[in-house]
Amino acid sequence: MKNSSISKPIPDDLAPNGEISKINNFALFKGLDITDITVPDIGCPLAIEKLENYNQHLKTEGNKPLNTHFYFLSEIEDVIGGCKNLPCFLKAVANTNYSNATLIIDKDCKLSEPLVIPSRFTLAGVGIDGAGRLIFDNLPDGVSAIRLDKVATNITIRDLSIGRIGGGVNIGIDVSRANKVFIRDVIVTGFFAGIYGSRPNAQAISVYIDRCSVFQNDYNIVMHRNAFHWRIRDCILNQAKCWGLLIFGKDNDPVPPPENKMVWGNDYLISGCRFEGSGIGGALLGSQAAMLMNNRFEQNGGVGGVGVNILPSATGTRMVSNVISGNQVLNESQALETKRWGDSETT
């Protein structure tokens, strides 16, 4: 497709069950998250002050104080004003005694506004499907349930279940703006895009997703332009309404960059993952240097549906030792752009 035509709306695909992929909804994420503001949001410093007073009271009474670098939601929620105040607490936590720390979500926490995670912070649960869950409800269109602070680095999300029970076109975990993000043993379900990066005006560099179950989102994992060096290993990427994995290229981007900034992400490794039962297909690849190794693609788009679709804009695609069961591989790339070794195809 020529550059002059990529600004046109991208046609919606139709899944076998009649659902529309609504790929143009990604235009909602073309700018800043609507929760961003020009003046820094300092959250609720009063919650930090109350927590400090509470900790001092524990010491005065001869009780063991909180471990300020490894603490539980159940320990602090009454002090900070309840679970509903967790978003403003996280905005205020940077550069305090409770930053550069691990917060354990050890109960169900229902939220109607996003969490913003600061640099060098770990948000954890008590197991991938344990009692610690973040449940988001009625988020406005274009909002991410979990996003990262500006120029964030060294953030970990682990052992946690993240879901949505209401709302519109939302992202589960938005890794835009960040460098070195580690997501492991996490469930993400019920969103328009489960894990997403990067918004066109930001970057998402060195993102590592391991042993996660990202399922029943419209799109399970999405890489937009300005996403570089992602590693996705040993994940379950099943039952997406549309695609289990979408890597945008210039041919299918509903928000193309200016003609003088035609830069696209590259360097993606997807290894040991299961792509099963997604509505339209398993993986849609449009960018540069994606390598698929030792994955399983089965009955995406139904028996005989599309396991992998490699678009004309995709360059340097490599497929090595994948199992393709009841699916097909559509290779629309230019001659010699896609290499395949050792893939096993069964009907």
Side-chain angles (χ1 to χ4, degrees):
M1 185 179 293
K2 295 181 180 179
N3 290 346
S4 60
S5 65
I6 62 174
S7 60
K8 296 178 181 179
I10 307 300
D12 285 323
D13 293 318
L14 190 67
N17 61 7
E19 291 199 71
I20 299 293
S21 72
K22 299 179 181 177
I23 201 167
N24 289 307
N25 281 339
F26 284 101
L28 287 168
F29 311 125
K30 66 182 179 182
L32 297 174
D33 189 310
I34 64 171
T35 58
D36 285 343
I37 55 177
T38 55
V39 178
D41 185 352
I42 62 172
C44 43
L46 184 60
I48 303 294
E49 182 180 338
K50 289 181 177 179
L51 200 54
E52 285 284 76
N53 292 337
Y54 173 70
N55 229 9
Q56 187 60 45
H57 174 72
L58 290 175
K59 294 177 184 177
T60 302
E61 295 294 319
N63 296 315
K64 184 179 180 180
L66 291 176
N67 179 341
T68 59
H69 290 129
F70 192 94
Y71 49 95
F72 293 79
L73 176 61
S74 59
E75 292 178 313
I76 69 169
E77 67 166 325
D78 290 341
V79 181
I80 67 173
C83 186
K84 68 179 187 301
N85 267 6
L86 183 59
C88 75
F89 170 78
L90 285 179
K91 291 176 184 176
V93 79
N95 302 314
T96 71
N97 289 334
Y98 304 90
S99 62
N100 307 339
T102 296
L103 169 60
I104 307 293
I105 307 298
D106 57 343
K107 57 175 290 181
D108 282 2
C109 184
K110 294 184 178 179
L111 299 166
S112 57
E113 61 178 297
L115 296 181
V116 182
I117 304 179
S119 284
R120 294 186 291 168
F121 198 86
T122 295
L123 186 69
V126 293
I128 188 170
D129 199 19
R133 299 189 300 172
L134 295 176
I135 304 166
F136 292 86
D137 189 14
N138 292 320
L139 296 173
D141 285 353
V143 169
S144 310
I146 295 178
R147 72 169 181 84
L148 312 181
D149 205 359
K150 295 177 180 177
V151 199
T153 187
N154 289 319
I155 288 175
T156 297
I157 303 172
R158 63 172 174 84
D159 302 307
L160 186 60
S161 178
I162 301 163
R164 188 191 67 166
I165 58 175
V169 182
N170 306 121
I171 296 168
I173 302 175
D174 185 352
V175 298
S176 303
R177 310 172 182 83
N179 173 38
K180 290 188 289 184
V181 181
F182 306 89
I183 304 171
R184 65 176 186 269
D185 300 307
V186 169
I187 287 176
V188 185
T189 187
F191 295 92
F192 175 69
I195 300 176
Y196 172 91
S198 174
R199 291 174 183 262
N201 64 336
Q203 291 187 334
I205 302 174
S206 297
V207 177
Y208 304 90
I209 305 171
D210 295 295
R211 306 190 307 262
C212 291
S213 183
V214 189
F215 67 98
Q216 291 183 356
N217 304 282
D218 287 8
Y219 296 84
N220 285 334
I221 296 181
V222 180
M223 285 164 253
H224 207 199
R225 71 181 187 90
N226 293 340
F228 301 89
H229 186 76
W230 285 42
R231 299 292 181 262
I232 304 170
R233 293 185 172 94
D234 302 320
C235 293
I236 299 173
L237 307 175
N238 289 359
Q239 301 172 22
K241 291 181 181 178
C242 300
W243 290 92
L245 171 69
L246 167 59
I247 304 179
F248 274 110
K250 63 184 179 65
D251 289 349
N252 67 335
D253 190 346
V255 189
E259 293 290 333
N260 62 343
K261 294 184 179 180
M262 295 296 292
V263 178
W264 299 91
N266 57 51
D267 185 16
Y268 311 114
L269 172 64
I270 301 93
S271 175
C273 296
R274 285 173 50 202
F275 294 81
E276 297 179 8
S278 290
I280 294 175
L284 181 63
L285 311 177
S287 194
Q288 181 183 359
M291 177 174 285
L292 278 62
M293 299 179 61
N294 309 319
N295 303 289
R296 181 181 186 89
F297 297 88
E298 183 171 2
Q299 296 189 19
N300 298 285
V303 177
V306 179
V308 182
N309 188 356
I310 304 167
L311 296 175
S313 59
T315 58
T317 305
R318 301 293 183 264
M319 295 184 62
V320 181
S321 300
N322 299 282
V323 175
I324 317 292
S325 178
N327 268 173
Q328 58 181 311
V329 176
L330 301 182
N331 183 12
E332 304 174 73
S333 66
Q334 302 298 316
L336 304 179
E337 280 292 353
T338 299
K339 301 289 188 183
R340 295 181 65 185
W341 299 273
D343 292 333
S344 174
E345 296 194 48
T346 61
T347 57

